[in-house]
Amino acid sequence: MNHEYWDIALSNAAYGTIGALVGGLVIAGGLIWAVPLGIRMRRGEPAPPKAHEQPSLPESGPVRETSEIREPNEVPRAANEGERLTPHQLGGPGSKRSDRQGRPRWDSGSSGSFGSGGSGRA
């Protein structure tokens, strides 16, 4: 082989190595610069609340979970058939508290979990 080929190959490898080294130094320098910047920003933030500033339980005790049966609200109809309703005309939440709060129970002879309501015998 020619000495020129070795010189070209070694110079490309040297450029790649130097480029990787310089890139690594730039990244390391950026990380080193970010640490004092983060410390300065943290010092500017308010301190965490002290023990007497923490929220406390109400005198009635902890709030308990509530469970209720909900039913959908009726969707309002437009006055004219060609008219569209805008979102603010539709109203608030899509459900309301049901008048019947008893848990629905499974009745014998009603539909099972797979829909047909049959006995399952062929």
Side-chain angles (χ1 to χ4, degrees), residues 7 12 15 19 26 30 37 41-42 46 51 54 66 79 85 90 100 112 115 120:
D7 291 339
N12 286 342
Y15 288 138
V26 167
L37 177 68
M41 290 181 71
R42 178 66 190 227
Q54 296 286 340
T66 59
L85 294 176
L90 291 176
R100 296 183 308 146

Side-chain angles (χ1 to χ4, degrees), residues 79-100:
N80 298 329
E81 195 169 311
E83 181 184 351
R84 286 186 167 184
L85 294 176
T86 59
H88 72 275
Q89 292 171 320
L90 291 176
S95 65
K96 61 184 175 190
R97 189 172 196 272
S98 176
D99 294 332
R100 296 183 308 146

Side-chain angles (χ1 to χ4, degrees), residues 14-59:
Y15 288 138
T17 304
I18 291 171
L21 180 65
V22 169
L25 289 174
V26 167
I27 291 173
L31 291 173
I32 291 171
W33 171 79
V35 169
L37 177 68
I39 291 172
R40 281 194 305 272
M41 290 181 71
R42 178 66 190 227
R43 284 185 185 148
E45 293 177 356
K50 297 185 176 29
H52 67 279
E53 297 172 338
Q54 296 286 340
S56 59
L57 283 175
E59 291 190 18

